[in-house]
Amino acid sequence: MSINTERPAEALAVPTSSGTPVRRRRRRPPEITYSVLVFIGLLVVWQVVVKLFDVSNILVPAPTAVLESLVDGFQDGSLVTQSVVTLKEILIGFGIAVGSALISAVLITQFRAVERVLFPLLILTQTIPKVAMAPLLIVWFGIGISSKVLTVALIAFFPLLINAILGFRSAAYEQVEMLRSFGASRMQVMRHLQIPSALPHIFAGLEVAVILSVTGAVVAEFVGSSEGLGYLIQASNFTLDVARTFAVIVVLSAIGIALHAVVVQLGKWLVFWTATPTDTAGEI
């Protein structure tokens, strides 16, 4: 009776300097590949159902109609122009939220008096729905970019603040006391211990905040604006151009995905020491 001594296809024996073979797994396709395939399958089903049941474009346009509207919008420049307006609102508002949240987190975690006075007030402001604040901001600052930027900043501020506070407080108490016993100042403790400990939490908050920034910009444009992708959605709904509405939603999704990907990549570069086994599984 013969015995099959071949190794499975998934594992390859690679000799090392010590002579001991090390098994290496075959590289698997990225997880995004399966997501893309599922998304394409859903588009195919959507196209078939719309054509099969002859659904009106006023109700649900076919993916091909959305694609045509998307191409037309970029060719006539309307989608490009309005995307630039909305992207400017998102980036400025997000930048204000990041700066104010990080400064507030530092003050709250470093000074007990500031925590007792400032933190309850910040919690109080977060109990007010931002959608309810948007009309007031329009009244106070007009329909220009200022009201949109403030709405974005208010919506993106709190998730980042909470994550930053948790991050600064995640440094081990024993390590903080050890540095202080060696004569380290408050700034040195923050620089060498608390900030590195806080970075993973901060980037987790940034990932949430950047997505909420897109939502905040569109909500503000819905309330009152004369330009932007939110305004374009309202104009398309008024003319029953549902295909253009879907095209604008596609652009908004692309902006959100791109900004989120930028934040994630920055996190991988700056917080490289938090890599998990799943991040490096493809390299084994």
Side-chain angles (χ1 to χ4, degrees), residues 6 8 35 67 73-74 77 128 144 154 187 194 219 224 233 267 270 283:
E6 294 182 359
S35 300
L67 180 60
F74 279 109
I128 304 174
L154 287 173
M187 289 300 298
Q194 292 177 318
V219 168
I233 288 177
L270 298 177
E283 302 176 359

Side-chain angles (χ1 to χ4, degrees), residues 14 33 89 103 126 159 171 217:
V14 180
T33 304
E89 298 166 356
I103 293 173
Q126 294 306 309

Side-chain angles (χ1 to χ4, degrees), residues 104-122 169 186:
S104 299
V106 170
L107 294 175
I108 288 172
T109 54
Q110 297 300 313
F111 303 99
R112 184 60 59 87
V114 175
E115 179 183 5
R116 292 174 179 174
V117 175
L118 183 61
F119 193 64
L121 294 177
L122 293 175
R169 289 177 174 171
R186 187 191 299 268

Side-chain angles (χ1 to χ4, degrees), residues 18-57:
S18 62
T20 304
V22 178
R23 292 186 177 183
R24 295 177 62 97
R25 295 180 182 177
R26 295 179 60 183
R27 213 177 258 277
R28 296 181 179 180
E31 294 182 1
I32 188 64
T33 304
Y34 302 106
S35 300
V36 171
L37 292 176
V38 171
F39 180 71
I40 293 175
L42 292 175
L43 289 179
V44 172
V45 173
W46 180 3
Q47 179 76 25
V48 170
V49 170
V50 168
K51 293 300 181 181
L52 184 62
F53 295 95
D54 195 21
V55 180
S56 172
N57 283 336

